Structures are given as structure tokens and as C-alpha cells.
């Protein structure tokens, strides 16, 4: 009896199943004992830029394995000063704005942290990686608006098989008590797609928790579950689950709604209507490579290039170059000069208009507001009609926080390493 009570006291846990998206099974443990102290491990690297800057991020690259995030295998991501990783595609523009913390994140504790000065202990942001795991650790993190409450120390572990662990060593106050006026406070994960015609991201999965369960020596484990999107042939697709359907033109498996990173391509190929739940007449002995979400038509977070404006070609030149046609009579010299002047003015006007339109598009894109996560059930309910547009307009009124700055890449970062 005493043994049973001891187990209940020291190994209490809570299981939370993500029923909305079914991408991950989650397990919360108290008194977990799963902390791995990177400051004691040879080869761990402390990032001076991330430890000493506000609202900043640095690129991180995996050397020995690709990490599957929502089924998509990633080699690179961004680590931030604010307690989370950004798992979206890395843009060459480098200015992500509010996209970093809105979606496509892994957040053990996203909050308004900031570097400290004496007599407070300096914060330390470091990472460690080998052939099976990547660990990112935030130590002695102090809240900008609540310096007196104490320091947070926590880490996220990315395992090669897709398992994600949040481990908390020191949590001085409840997460619900953190002031969010300088930065949004989140614990969990999210992924999204960008829909055609809309610059903002649309989250299809957001996993969040009752943060009152997170205390010192707590761990949260995310175990990926087999999904329709992970099936690479028609046969494995239709036999995996009755909810899975195969889209022949896209050569991809998903649910009928196609709520994953490939949602835009799923809609462009008319897969909601064309997908089948039988493989009759479809070759299943070989597997065609899955389409890349980083293609031109894919839904990534990289900036889109404004459309090129094509200047109309003169019809007379086309006619003159056509085989088997006679050349029309040449106009008089004065008339030809007038037509040349008019044509030049027209082309100049078109070029000026094109420049103005491109400038306006760029300005609007840079100033676009933040997008708060839209629930999966809202996406299913709206079905892409007017209700969806209204939902996006409501989300765009969310609070705006400071934009992040790039401080270092994986290859050009000033770091210090633990040597034993």
C-alpha cells in the first residue's frame, strides 16, 4: 500500500491526446527526472548572440539526420531568444516579422525573456547535437517585465525518430502568471500552410496545454503517430485507415480535406474530388517521390516574387514574321513617326505603372499584420468560402509584438563550447 502511494506521489502524470489533428500523442509527467544538463556535456555549444540579444534568432542545422516535423523531414530551423524553435522554411530575406511566433513553432516556453545585467545571473542559450538527438537549452532566463520572480531553465529535445520532449528544470512561477504585454506566451506546437491568394499562414494543427500542469521537473513528450500523409503508395494509403484517400495526380495520400502542409497543392490538383479510396487501375509496386513543399507553387513561409508584367508586342511585327502572309503597305513617314512616338509613350506608361504596382505590393507585404492560429474545426467549417475570409479578417486584428532580428548563422556564430 505504501509503495502504491509513493508511486502516485512521485510519478504522477497526465495524458492529453490531440484529438483535433491526431498528429502526435502527448504525455505530461511530473517529477519526470528527464533533464539532460548541457552545461556539463562536452561538445555542447553556448550561443553568445542568443544569450545577449533581445528578440533574436539564429540558424541551426542538423548534421546526421533529418528531423520529421509533422511528417516533413527538416534539415534546418531557427532557434530564438524567446524560448522556441521556428520550423518553417528559412527565407533568404531574413525578415520574418510576426511569422516566427504565430505558427510553425516548437515552443517549450515562448515568452518575453531578455538578457540580464549584474547582479542577476546571466542567461545562457546553448545546444548540443549528435547522430540521434538535438537538444536546445535555455538557462537562467529572466522575464523582461518580471525580473524579481526568478529564472526559468528548460530545454527541448528533438529525437531522430520524430519524438519531441519539453523538459523543465526550473519554473519559479506558474506559466499563467507570466506577463504577455511584451511577447505572447505559448507552450506547444503548431504547423500551417499558406493558401493561394492569401499571404498569411493558415494553421491546420495547434497543440496547446493547460499550463497549470507545468512545474519544476515536468516533462512533455510528443510521439508522432502514423498518419495518411506518411503513406507513400496507394496501397499503403487506402489500407492505413478508412479516412485516407489517394490523389493520383498529386501522387499523395491524405484525408479528404487534405489538412497538412500540402493543403494548397491538394486543392490545386482537385484532390478533394479526385482522390480515391481504392487502387484499382493505379500502379502500386513503385513509389513516386513526394512533391516538395518548397517548390514555387508550394506553401512555405518564404516571400513570394511579385508577378512579372509582360509588355504587349506590336501586332504588326507578329504579322510581318508570319510565314505565308504578305507584308501590308508601309505607312507614310510622318504617320510612322507619330505611331512610334505613341508606342514609346504607351510602353513608358506601362513600365511606370508596373513599377508602382510592384512597389505597392511589396509595401503591403512588409506591413501585413500578424495572424493568430485558426482552429482546425474553423477551417473545416468554412470550406474556403466567405466564412474563411471573415475568419482571416478577425485573426488579423491580433496583438502585434516586436519583430525579430537575425544574429547568427550556424557557420558564422560566435560560440563557446564545454571542454572537459
Amino acid at each position: 500500500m505504501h509503495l502504491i502511494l509513493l508511486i502516485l506521489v512521485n510519478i504522477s502524470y497526465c495524458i492529453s491526446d490531440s484529438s483535433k489533428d491526431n498528429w502526435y500523442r502527448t504525455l505530461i509527467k511530473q517529477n519526470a527526472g528527464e533533464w539532460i544538463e548541457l552545461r556539463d556535456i562536452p561538445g555542447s555549444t553556448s550561443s553568445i548572440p542568443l544569450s545577449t540579444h533581445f528578440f533574436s534568432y539564429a540558424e541551426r542545422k542538423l548534421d546526421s539526420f533529418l528531423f520529421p516535423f509533422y511528417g516533413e523531414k527538416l534539415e534546418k530551423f531557427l532557434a530564438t531568444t524567446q524560448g522556441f524553435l521556428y520550423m518553417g522554411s528559412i527565407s533568404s530575406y531574413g525578415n520574418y516579422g510576426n511569422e516566427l511566433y504565430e505558427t510553425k513553432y516548437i515552443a517549450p516556453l515562448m515568452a518575453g525573456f531578455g538578457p540580464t545585467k549584474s547582479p542577476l545571473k546571466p542567461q545562457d542559450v546553448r545546444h548540443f547535437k549528435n547522430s540521434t538527438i538535438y537538444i536546445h537549452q535555455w538557462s537562467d532566463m529572466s522575464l523582461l517585465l518580471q525580473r524579481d520572480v526568478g529564472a526559468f531553465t528548460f530545454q527541448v529535445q528533438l529525437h531522430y525518430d520524430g519524438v519531441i520532449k519539453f523538459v523543465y528544470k526550473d519554473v519559479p512561477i506558474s506559466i499563467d502568471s507570466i506577463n504577455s504585454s511584451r511577447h505572447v506566451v505559448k507552450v506547444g506546437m503548431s504547423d500551417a500552410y499558406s493558401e493561394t491568394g492569401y499571404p498569411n499562414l493558415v494553421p491546420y494543427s495547434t497543440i496547446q496545454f493547460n499550463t497549470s500542469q507545468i512545474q519544476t521537473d515536468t516533462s512533455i513528450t510528443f510521439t508522432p503517430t502514423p498518419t495518411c500523409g506518411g503513406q507513400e503508395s496507394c496501397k499503403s494509403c487506402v489500407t492505413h485507415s478508412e479516412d485516407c484517400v489517394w490523389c493520383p495526380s498529386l501522387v499523395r495520400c491524405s484525408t479528404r480535406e487534405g489538412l497538412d502542409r500540402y493543403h494548397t497543392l491538394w486543392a490545386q490538383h482537385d484532390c478533394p474530388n479526385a482522390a480515391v479510396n481504392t487502387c484499382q487501375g493505379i500502379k502500386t509496386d513503385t513509389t513516386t517521390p513526394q512533391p516538395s513543399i518548397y517548390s514555387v507553387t508550394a506553401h512555405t513561409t518564404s516571400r513570394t516574387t511579385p508577378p512579372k508584367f509582360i509588355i504587349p508586342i506590336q501586332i504588326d511585327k507578329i504579322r510581318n514574321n508570319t510565314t505565308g502572309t504578305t507584308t501590308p503597305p508601309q505607312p507614310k513617314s510622318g504617320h510612322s513617326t507619330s505611331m512610334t512616338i505613341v508606342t514609346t509613350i504607351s510602353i513608358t506608361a506601362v513600365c511606370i505603372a508596373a513599377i508602382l504596382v510592384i512597389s505597392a505590393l511589396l509595401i503591403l507585404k512588409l506591413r501585413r499584420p500578424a495572424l493568430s492560429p485558426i482552429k482546425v474545426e474553423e477551417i473545416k467549417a468554412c470550406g474556403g468560402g466567405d466564412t474563411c475570409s471573415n475568419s482571416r479578417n478577425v485573426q488579423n486584428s491580433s496583438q502585434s509584438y516586436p519583430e525579430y532580428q537575425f544574429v547568427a548563422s550556424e557557420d558564422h556564430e560566435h560560440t563557446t563550447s564545454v571542454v572537459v
Side-chain angles (χ1 to χ4, degrees), residues 23 28 44 111 149 173 179 203 212 243 274 279 282 300 311-312 320 325 348 352 363 369 386 388 398 411:
W23 285 91
I28 303 178
S44 70
V149 302
I173 61 173
N179 191 321
S212 63
D243 296 326
C279 297
I282 299 176
T300 69
I311 300 175
N320 290 340
T325 57
T348 303
I352 294 174
I363 292 173
D386 295 336
C388 279
S398 61
D411 300 324

Side-chain angles (χ1 to χ4, degrees), residues 36-47 60 124-130 134-137 139 155 415-420:
I36 301 175
E37 181 52 69
L38 294 190
R39 288 172 288 190
D40 298 335
I41 296 181
S44 70
T45 304
S46 176
S47 170
R60 293 288 173 261
D124 179 77
V125 181
R126 68 176 55 232
H127 69 279
F128 170 82
K129 57 184 177 180
N130 61 23
Y134 173 92
I135 305 176
H136 202 91
Q137 180 173 308
S139 302
Q155 65 184 203
T415 61
T416 59
S417 299
V418 174
V419 179
V420 177

Side-chain angles (χ1 to χ4, degrees), residues 363-379:
I363 292 173
L364 290 174
K365 193 169 188 64
L366 290 175
R367 293 185 177 181
R368 68 180 183 275
L371 176 67
S372 294
I374 301 174
K375 296 180 180 179
V376 173
E377 55 266 29
E378 293 178 356
I379 299 175

Side-chain angles (χ1 to χ4, degrees), residues 226-395:
T227 61
C228 298
Q231 311 308 311
E232 297 183 347
S233 69
C234 179
K235 184 176 180 180
S236 64
C237 174
V238 299
T239 57
H240 177 71
S241 168
E242 61 181 9
D243 296 326
C244 299
V245 290
W246 180 260
C247 185
S249 61
L250 187 59
V251 194
R252 178 164 176 80
C253 181
S254 185
T255 60
R256 182 67 65 179
E257 298 87 355
L259 290 179
D260 55 28
R261 281 197 172 194
Y262 294 89
H263 178 78
T264 300
L265 293 176
W266 189 263
Q268 289 175 349
H269 285 255
D270 194 32
C271 294
N273 298 319
V276 296
N277 57 7
T278 178
C279 297
Q280 185 176 0
I282 299 176
K283 293 182 179 180
T284 59
D285 54 339
T286 58
T287 301
T288 303
Q290 295 289 308
S292 172
I293 61 170
Y294 300 108
S295 62
V296 176
T297 59
H299 33 284
T300 69
T301 57
S302 59
R303 278 27 176 199
T304 56
T305 304
K308 295 181 180 180
F309 288 83
I310 302 175
I311 300 175
I313 302 175
Q314 297 181 33
I315 300 299
D316 289 342
K317 291 184 179 181
I318 297 177
R319 289 174 178 172
N320 290 340
N321 294 330
T322 303
T323 304
T325 57
T326 58
T327 304
Q330 297 294 325
K332 295 181 179 180
S333 176
H335 181 70
S336 176
T337 302
S338 301
M339 289 298 296
T340 301
I341 295 174
V342 171
T343 302
T344 302
I345 294 175
S346 300
I347 294 175
T348 303
V350 170
C351 291
I352 294 174
I355 293 172
L356 292 175
V357 171
I358 293 174
S359 300
L361 290 173
L362 291 175
I363 292 173
L364 290 174
K365 193 169 188 64
L366 290 175
R367 293 185 177 181
R368 68 180 183 275
L371 176 67
S372 294
I374 301 174
K375 296 180 180 179
V376 173
E377 55 266 29
E378 293 178 356
I379 299 175
K380 291 182 178 179
C382 64
D386 295 336
T387 309
C388 279
S389 301
N390 294 335
S391 298
R392 292 187 186 89
N393 293 333
V394 172
Q395 302 300 325

